[in-house]
Every structure is written in structure tokens, then in C-alpha cells.
Amino acid sequence: KCISQSYWVFVVQYFVEFIWLLAFKDNYSLWEINNFSSLSLLSIVTVEKAPLYLLYPLSAFNLWELAFITLICSTLIRHAGIAINKILLVLFCAYILPLLCWIAIVCYINMLNTL
């Protein structure tokens, strides 16, 4: 229950991104909309100059992921009374490590496609 409640962070993320795109009505290209990722490392770099294989990793590392992890930790501490060390170990093994593996796989596939 605690983890499913934490997924609301991503609902808020998409809502904020939708409002952002509506509020600042520029003539966005499909490329810009596809690569729009709020509060991520991708927003720091120039998207057009970044290598294609780095677009996904740069968009995956964002403050929304950090908020998700923080919310999971805080709700499990508050409701389940589990120690922070155990929570961080489980989160690392069950969420962070698979996420990093997925990012590496996507990066590798994107590198192969750019050759």
C-alpha cells in the first residue's frame, strides 16, 4: 500500500509537465515534446547537441525519481516501522539496480542504432 501510494509522484509529474506545456504555448516540435522531461538532467544540457544514446539516461535521472524513492522510504518508516538501512537495501536491490540495468540496456541499444 505504501509503495502504490508513492506512485502518485509520477501522476503529479505528468500533470505538471502537461500544465507546463499548456502554459508556455510555443510552437513545439514533435522532437521537443518527445524529449521534454521536467526536472531532469536532460533539461540542463542542450538536447540537440547531446548524443542520441544519452537522451534516455539523462531524462531518467530526475527529481521525480528522487521524490519517489524518498516518499517510499518515509512512508515505510512511518507506517511499517522498518529501519532505514533495510529499506534502502531493499530499494537498491528491487528498484535502483534494475533501473540502472534498464538504463544501460537502453543506452546500449541506442548506441547500436546510431552506428
Side-chain angles (χ1 to χ4, degrees):
K1 184 176 178 181
C2 297
I3 294 173
S4 63
Q5 290 175 349
S6 299
Y7 275 103
W8 280 99
V9 168
F10 297 116
V11 174
V12 171
Q13 172 190 3
Y14 293 124
F15 182 72
V16 167
E17 289 177 357
F18 181 72
I19 297 298
W20 176 271
L21 290 173
L22 284 179
F24 298 101
K25 292 184 180 181
D26 291 336
N27 290 330
Y28 296 114
S29 67
L30 186 58
W31 172 262
E32 292 170 330
I33 292 174
N34 191 28
N35 292 308
F36 179 72
S37 183
S38 64
L39 302 176
S40 71
L41 292 177
L42 188 61
S43 62
I44 295 173
V45 300
T46 306
V47 176
E48 291 82 15
K49 293 182 181 178
L52 290 176
Y53 61 89
L54 287 181
L55 291 180
Y56 182 73
L58 289 174
S59 67
F61 294 116
N62 57 45
L63 291 179
W64 299 105
E65 292 285 339
L66 187 61
F68 176 69
I69 292 169
T70 305
L71 194 58
I72 287 177
C73 288
S74 65
T75 53
L76 284 176
I77 290 170
R78 186 177 34 225
H79 295 297
I82 303 172
I84 187 74
N85 296 342
K86 290 182 182 179
I87 293 172
L88 290 177
L89 180 65
V90 169
L91 271 176
F92 180 77
C93 293
Y95 183 73
I96 297 171
L97 191 60
L99 178 65
L100 292 176
C101 290
W102 174 251
I103 290 171
I105 290 169
V106 170
C107 192
Y108 179 72
I109 291 171
N110 287 339
M111 263 184 4
L112 290 178
N113 287 336
T114 57
L115 295 178

